[in-house]
Amino acid sequence: MTNKYEERLGTERMLPLVFKMALPAVAAQFVNLLYSIVDRIYIGHIPGIGTDALAGVGVTISLVVLISSFSAIVGGGGAPLAAIALGQGNRRRAGKILGNGFTLLILFTLLTSFIAYTFMEPILLFTGASEHTLGYAEDYLSIYLLGTLFVEVSTGLNAFINAQGRPAVAMCSVLIGALLNIILDPIFIFWLDMGVKGAALATVLSQACSAVWVLSFLFSRRASLPLERRYMKLEKSIVLSMLALGVSPFIMASTESLVGFVLNSSLKEFGDIYVSALTVLQTSMQFASVPLTGFAQGFVPVASYNYGHGDKQRVKECFRIALITMFSFNLVLMLFMICFPAIVASAFTSDARLIETVRWTMPVFLGGMTIFGLQRACQNMFVALGQARISIFIALLRKVILLIPLALILPHFMGVAGVYAAEAISDATAAICCTLLFFWQFPKILRRIKSKSLSE
């Protein structure tokens, strides 16, 4: 039995439907960005230690991203498969995907928490912590890791709420946590004088509230696809299908961590000021990439549902809207930050030396991101259509094949600027390759939809 919220994925006019699905997710992701940004803004302005504390928290970002990226296997791989199953009318399979995904998130939490606590100091030193910043990094991470389960559940299962055509509910789960984090940050950091520990504690409590909201909805009668205990026992075929498609979004997220390891380690040789600058640059980049992630969370269920339903025209229309919107938004925002880097830097620090470092590195670092909206639209469409192998290749191309080697090679010829230039070159190259590959493969995928419809 279908639900009115699911039915609209296959019947409503595409343009208002995509934006109705996407805007709550964009708003949620943008507010969610405040989790990290507010932490860094407050930390960067702690009197006397702000710059070193910002660098310390900055080197934890790589490990935090790596841990949270495991939720992308479930959310990015399982949710599109569940939406396809709903489009096909196979609610039992969709329920199994959700239940198995929840169990996987618990297993991921146990694995990542154990490894991170056991090897915390060597990992942080490898990611770029110095004797001046290691203490701040350990203070932040030791508390943040207590909330790993909340992070995995809230981010991994929220995509299944979107897959049911309920973006407003999914948005609320993020808003609750993010707004609470904004309130708690100054209380713990300044009023209770807890410093970076306070920032981490505020984040843990906020994520816990988000996780409670997500689970309370999925276990309730309001969910058209509820989380049921009978489907939580792992099934090999379900798990393998989730892993196959989820590897791509996992690589997209986890390679950000791997790149952070490489970039921070390279920049540490030139001084902690460049590690602090990278923290500002990566956070600024998130102002574009995070809303794009939100928009993808909105259009992917629409594309997946109609792909499963066999409606080729609606799939094409959905992609056209996503491509134009994501490219235009990303381009405008990147050009603003490239033209006014000092204004952006001033939001994070009052240190004149750090602002000047960001001023000349930001145009170099973000140059390739101007066309990155093309890749995000095409790559997420591959995921929406269940094209696992192509998605994995694209995810590996940008970070592993291009960026890491460039970040290790270019500094020998360009000095510290080479570390930042590596990001721009890899972003632009990957976006062009991904777009060309998509427009080559997309007609073949559409023909398969037609063949499927004829066979039915």
Side-chain angles (χ1 to χ4, degrees), residues 280 284 287 336-338 340-349 358 362:
V280 175
S284 301
F287 273 106
F336 171 80
M337 288 191 282
I338 288 172
F340 304 102
I343 295 177
V344 178
S346 298
F348 295 90
T349 182
V358 173
M362 184 169 282

Side-chain angles (χ1 to χ4, degrees), residues 205-237:
L205 294 175
S206 302
Q207 288 283 15
C209 291
S210 292
V212 169
W213 174 271
V214 170
L215 291 175
S216 65
F217 174 80
L218 290 175
F219 277 118
S220 73
R221 294 183 179 180
R222 294 181 297 154
S224 60
L225 179 64
L227 180 56
E228 300 181 71
R229 193 171 300 174
R230 58 176 173 159
Y231 292 142
M232 292 181 187
K233 183 178 179 181
L234 295 180
E235 287 190 21
K236 183 178 179 181
S237 60

Side-chain angles (χ1 to χ4, degrees), residues 31 34-35 38 42 177-187 202 206:
V31 175
L34 296 177
Y35 269 116
V38 169
Y42 282 128
L179 293 176
L180 183 60
N181 187 63
I182 294 171
I183 295 170
L184 294 179
D185 255 333
I187 295 174
S206 302

Side-chain angles (χ1 to χ4, degrees), residues 152-176:
E152 298 288 347
V153 168
S154 61
T155 56
L157 296 186
N158 213 28
F160 286 90
I161 299 178
N162 262 340
Q164 300 176 39
R166 303 294 296 271
V169 176
M171 176 184 68
C172 287
S173 70
V174 180
L175 289 178
I176 289 170

Side-chain angles (χ1 to χ4, degrees), residues 171-367:
M171 176 184 68
C172 287
S173 70
V174 180
L175 289 178
I176 289 170
L179 293 176
L180 183 60
N181 187 63
I182 294 171
I183 295 170
L184 294 179
D185 255 333
I187 295 174
F188 291 149
I189 294 173
F190 296 112
W191 295 356
L192 299 181
D193 197 26
M194 295 179 65
V196 295
K197 291 182 179 180
L201 181 58
T203 300
V204 168
L205 294 175
S206 302
Q207 288 283 15
C209 291
S210 292
V212 169
W213 174 271
V214 170
L215 291 175
S216 65
F217 174 80
L218 290 175
F219 277 118
S220 73
R221 294 183 179 180
R222 294 181 297 154
S224 60
L225 179 64
L227 180 56
E228 300 181 71
R229 193 171 300 174
R230 58 176 173 159
Y231 292 142
M232 292 181 187
K233 183 178 179 181
L234 295 180
E235 287 190 21
K236 183 178 179 181
S237 60
I238 297 292
V239 172
L240 289 179
S241 63
M242 261 195 295
L243 291 175
L245 188 59
V247 164
S248 174
F250 170 75
I251 291 175
M252 288 172 63
S254 62
T255 50
E256 294 288 345
S257 171
L258 180 59
V259 167
F261 295 160
V262 174
L263 294 183
N264 282 323
S265 297
S266 299
L267 290 172
K268 184 173 69 172
E269 302 301 320
F270 297 96
D272 286 340
I273 190 70
Y274 294 106
V275 178
S276 297
L278 181 64
T279 302
V280 175
L281 294 173
Q282 289 179 322
T283 305
S284 301
M285 181 189 289
Q286 288 180 310
F287 273 106
S289 63
V290 168
L292 290 181
T293 299
F295 196 87
Q297 290 176 354
F299 89 78
V300 163
V302 178
S304 296
Y305 184 94
N306 285 285
Y307 176 69
H309 203 59
D311 195 326
K312 178 172 66 173
Q313 190 57 41
R314 285 180 66 81
V315 172
K316 289 170 63 177
E317 191 177 357
C318 179
F319 171 68
R320 183 169 59 251
I321 293 169
L323 183 68
I324 294 172
T325 303
M326 297 176 83
F327 173 74
S328 302
F329 171 81
N330 182 80
L331 176 63
V332 171
L333 199 54
M334 286 299 106
L335 289 177
F336 171 80
M337 288 191 282
I338 288 172
C339 292
F340 304 102
I343 295 177
V344 178
S346 298
F348 295 90
T349 182
S350 55
D351 186 328
R353 182 168 169 243
L354 180 54
I355 292 174
E356 174 58 22
T357 303
V358 173
R359 185 196 62 77
W360 73 263
T361 57
M362 184 169 282
V364 177
F365 188 76
L366 296 182

